[in-house]
Amino acid sequence: GAVVSQHPSWVICKSGTSVKIECRSLDFQATTMFWYRQFPKQSLMLMATSNEGSKATYEQGVEKDKFLINHASLTLSTLTVTSAHPEDSSFYICSASGGRDYNEQFFGPGTRLTVL
Amino acid sequence: GQNIDQPTEMTATEGAIVQINCTYQTSGFNGLFWYQQHAGEAPTFLSYNVLDGLEEKGRFSSFLSRSKGYSYLLLKELQMKDSASYLCAALDSNYQLIWGAGTKLIIKP
């Protein structure tokens, strides 16, 4: 089946630093990758959609200068949280589509970010 | 606007059957997904329905009625490991997933 990995699985950083999260599709080419954020006891919130080789499309209310997304290849997308603050602490999940079923999204295991 | 409604929490007994309902209102419709999410983990795919009717997959079944904007996930022979949140998500005309808030299912012995 389609496998998506994320790295790191958890990260703790100081306020003001930047954190990069990688999302990789291991056994298929992901034409589209999605980045979600999930706060405790809440549902997934889509942050942005990225297609390989083009700029990401950000959801309303998501600062594109703060959450930098790069989808440089069909197997890798990165999310960089710049100048992180405690309120950015959350569970960040990526998903990828482009596998056997166009409509299906395959999720990475998520990255738990804690900003001190 | 676009909206997905599902119960916040449900409780069921090990070995029993539970049905989790979901109603949706979206701009266009290209199918409905159910995902399972254990605490602290990413969602895992359970089912996808785009045509009316029931899709059965082992202990889990999913039903869709497009005319009613309604779906349900049916879990049979409940096991303790089924304790999780179940997320309903509809694919709109732009192939964007609209997510429900999830239903937390608690299984009691």
Side-chain angles (χ1 to χ4, degrees):
Chain A
V3 179
V4 176
S5 70
Q6 251 180 272
H7 177 80
S9 54
W10 59 269
V11 58
I12 301 173
C13 69
K14 291 183 178 180
S15 184
T17 60
S18 294
V19 175
K20 179 186 281 189
I21 303 170
E22 291 187 351
C23 177
R24 292 181 185 272
S25 57
L26 300 184
D27 53 1
F28 69 100
Q29 293 184 326
T31 52
T32 306
M33 284 186 168
F34 305 85
W35 285 96
Y36 294 87
R37 181 166 52 182
Q38 187 177 34
F39 293 105
K41 298 184 179 181
Q42 295 186 23
S43 188
L44 299 172
M45 290 172 44
L46 180 65
M47 299 175 67
T49 302
S50 72
N51 293 296
E52 184 265 338
S54 60
K55 289 184 179 180
T57 301
Y58 289 80
E59 295 300 300
Q60 194 171 11
V62 178
E63 300 174 57
K64 62 180 181 180
D65 294 331
K66 180 172 180 64
F67 298 98
L68 302 178
I69 291 172
N70 184 284
H71 191 167
S73 76
L74 285 171
T75 59
L76 173 64
S77 177
T78 60
L79 167 68
T80 301
V81 183
T82 62
S83 187
H85 289 97
E87 57 265 31
D88 298 323
S89 299
S90 187
F91 192 45
Y92 292 86
I93 309 172
C94 75
S95 69
S97 69
R100 292 175 292 124
D101 185 337
Y102 170 78
N103 289 336
E104 184 174 349
Q105 292 186 26
F106 301 93
F107 285 86
T111 297
R112 186 160 301 283
L113 171 63
T114 302
V115 184
L116 303 176
Chain B
Q2 309 202 93
N3 192 50
I4 305 284
D5 283 318
Q6 54 181 129
T8 304
E9 187 174 296
M10 298 181 71
T11 302
T13 305
E14 189 178 15
I17 300 173
V18 71
Q19 177 175 311
I20 304 174
N21 296 324
C22 169
T23 57
Y24 63 89
Q25 290 178 309
T26 55
S27 302
F29 180 75
N30 281 300
L32 189 127
F33 290 85
W34 284 96
Y35 284 86
Q36 179 191 61
Q37 186 178 25
H38 285 99
E41 299 179 13
T44 55
F45 171 80
L46 290 178
S47 67
Y48 170 68
N49 294 65
V50 66
L51 301 176
D52 286 351
L54 186 69
E55 297 271 349
E56 296 186 72
K57 192 185 295 184
R59 294 189 299 115
F60 293 5
S61 302
S62 57
F63 171 84
L64 176 68
S65 168
R66 294 177 66 133
S67 62
K68 295 181 179 178
Y70 166 71
S71 172
Y72 68 72
L73 180 69
L74 189 72
L75 293 79
K76 303 176 184 177
E77 301 170 16
L78 287 171
Q79 301 175 10
M80 297 304 292
K81 67 179 182 179
D82 298 330
S83 292
S85 286
Y86 291 85
L87 306 174
C88 170
L91 204 60
D92 70 8
S93 57
N94 294 319
Y95 288 94
Q96 181 153 311
L97 273 179
I98 311 301
W99 292 88
T103 298
K104 182 178 180 181
L105 177 63
I106 300 169
I107 309 296
K108 294 184 176 180

